[in-house]
Amino acid sequence: MKKERHKSGGSRKPVDPSRLRTTKEGLIIAHHGVSVEVLFSDGLRSMIGVKRRSGHVVGDRVQISSEVLDRLPRTTELRRRDARGTVHLVGANLDVLGVVTAMLPPALPGFTDRAIVAARAADLHPFVVVNKCDLAGSGGLVSSLQSAYAGSVPVFPLSAVAGNGLGPVLDFLKGRRGAFVGITGVGKSSLLNALCPGIDLRVGEIGGISNRGRHTTTVSTLHALASGGELIDTPGFQDFGLVDISAEELAAYFPGFEKTREVACRFSDCRHRTEPGCSVTGLVASGLVSKERYETYLELLTEVQAGEAEARQKEWKK
Ligand code: GDP
Ligand code: ZN
């Protein structure tokens, strides 16, 4: 467990030490870089100073006793790798992950598949949001995403700006804690504003070029939804590189291959490449899995297997 010394931080009132003599449990509901806001089970909130690289994130449960903040074990951890290879924690203690896409800007190849695979491997339920459905021509994107993903995960077409299609997402989020990922500009902040009226996130500024705006001071916040459930807003990012995903996990979690569970491949460790008696290549041949989806899988498989080979080499050199 990570330990942090207490410091009073932020613009709010410093913590009253007399309140901290007993052990209290709470939830980090906002992260401001060098301080976190903790909501305690008795409803009280405190700003508590933490080290800049404490590793604590919004959604972490913490325990405070004798002026020391301990992070409690996490139920889930979702990680990603950026283009330079650095690993980042996307979220902790999340139940669901919404992958947001839109006609504009167009999706980066493989982003949605990687996010779904990573979420499933981390024990989260992924779902796909098709935003900006008010834009003419969105119908084509909705049908192609539905044919790729609807058999695997829920797909919600909506418009954050027009406020259409929000009900089914709110229903899905009831009793769950979620976060949205997606490339900059797909409308994640607009969606949070639409789902949690009153939070007033600055549209177009999350993780952006601008040095103003609340996201330069508030790294992340947890928002309770009036209809039940919680959403965490996190800074945007472009790359969802897979972290520690094995070829076996990829073969099991790739969206669209669920049908293969009904008919097993001949080999239990089949990676669905060129193995004889493979049910996936059978489904591709009969058109039940599209060639395009299968090619995306093969690209991810090559990447994951290269990562596995590299890890094995490192082991050897030890
Ligand atoms: P983020 O970078 O993913 O957080 O995206 P933003 O929420 O900042 O939105 C990026 C741009 O897309 C802004 O200009 C929004 O007004 C626009 N936008 C967001 N949602 C919608 C939508 O449902 N329809 C349309 N037409 N534009 C949208
Ligand atoms: Zn196979």
Side-chain angles (χ1 to χ4, degrees):
M1 270 198 286
K2 280 253 175 190
K3 290 196 186 267
E4 291 291 342
R5 281 260 131 215
H6 252 294
K7 284 182 272 165
S8 56
S11 53
R12 303 194 193 195
K13 266 202 326 206
V15 176
D16 170 5
S18 65
R19 292 220 315 256
L20 301 167
R21 276 189 203 116
T22 49
T23 301
K24 286 177 91 179
E25 269 189 37
L27 172 71
I28 299 185
I29 56 166
H31 202 306
H32 307 271
V34 288
S35 63
V36 293
E37 186 169 1
V38 177
L39 172 66
F40 293 100
S41 30
D42 56 11
L44 290 174
R45 293 165 182 229
S46 288
M47 292 292 283
I48 296 169
V50 292
K51 287 194 191 117
R52 189 164 279 283
R53 296 194 188 279
S54 68
H56 306 321
V57 294
V58 169
D60 268 328
R61 289 184 313 120
V62 295
Q63 180 179 289
I64 294 164
S65 127
S66 309
E67 300 185 34
V68 173
L69 181 148
D70 285 328
R71 183 164 75 221
L72 296 171
R74 292 167 171 161
T75 53
T76 64
E77 280 186 346
L78 179 67
R79 295 179 193 285
R80 68 168 184 106
R81 201 181 293 280
D82 68 18
R84 295 150 123 200
T86 310
V87 174
H88 303 267
L89 186 64
V90 178
N93 299 330
L94 293 174
D95 305 306
V96 295
L97 183 77
V99 190
V100 186
T101 57
M103 206 167 77
L104 285 170
L108 297 176
F111 187 101
T112 303
D113 296 302
R114 287 161 206 270
I116 291 176
V117 169
R120 285 176 159 175
D123 256 346
L124 269 66
H125 293 284
F127 62 101
V128 170
V129 170
V130 197
N131 188 28
K132 309 197 188 184
C133 284
D134 55 294
L135 295 181
S138 285
L141 176 68
V142 172
S143 13
S144 78
L145 290 170
Q146 267 168 341
S147 76
Y149 299 112
S152 315
V153 300
V155 177
F156 300 110
L158 54 83
S159 166
V161 162
N164 294 330
L166 302 176
V169 182
L170 289 169
D171 282 345
F172 181 79
L173 290 168
K174 272 182 193 156
R176 294 160 145 178
R177 181 180 295 157
F180 291 117
V181 293
I183 59 169
T184 308
V186 288
K188 296 177 298 297
S189 4
S190 306
L191 186 55
L192 273 155
N193 282 333
L195 295 171
C196 329
I199 65 169
D200 197 23
L201 282 183
R202 270 166 205 257
V203 168
E205 288 197 5
I206 284 194
I209 310 119
S210 167
N211 281 325
R212 293 166 290 114
R214 69 180 264 170
H215 277 263
T216 52
T217 48
T218 307
V219 181
S220 173
T221 316
L222 182 140
H223 309 281
L225 295 163
S227 50
E230 294 163 346
L231 279 172
I232 294 178
D233 76 88
T234 52
F237 53 82
Q238 301 298 96
D239 307 290
F240 210 124
L242 295 173
V243 181
D244 295 334
I245 300 287
S246 64
E248 186 183 1
E249 284 174 305
L250 178 69
Y253 297 139
F254 188 78
F257 287 3
E258 294 80 8
K259 296 184 199 100
T260 60
R261 293 201 192 117
E262 291 153 30
V263 195
C265 299
R266 185 180 306 164
F267 301 109
S268 62
D269 63 348
C270 187
R271 299 292 177 260
H272 322 313
R273 208 190 271 278
T274 48
E275 295 90 335
C278 170
S279 69
V280 171
T281 44
L283 287 170
V284 176
S286 61
L288 282 168
V289 167
S290 80
K291 274 211 170 84
E292 210 186 338
R293 298 292 301 138
Y294 181 60
E295 269 154 26
T296 305
Y297 165 75
L298 289 181
E299 278 165 30
L300 290 191
L301 179 66
T302 303
E303 192 183 293
V304 164
Q305 286 181 326
E308 283 183 332
E310 206 178 299
R312 270 197 305 272
Q313 246 183 355
K314 274 191 194 148
E315 264 313 293
W316 266 53
K317 283 185 184 156
K318 270 188 191 168

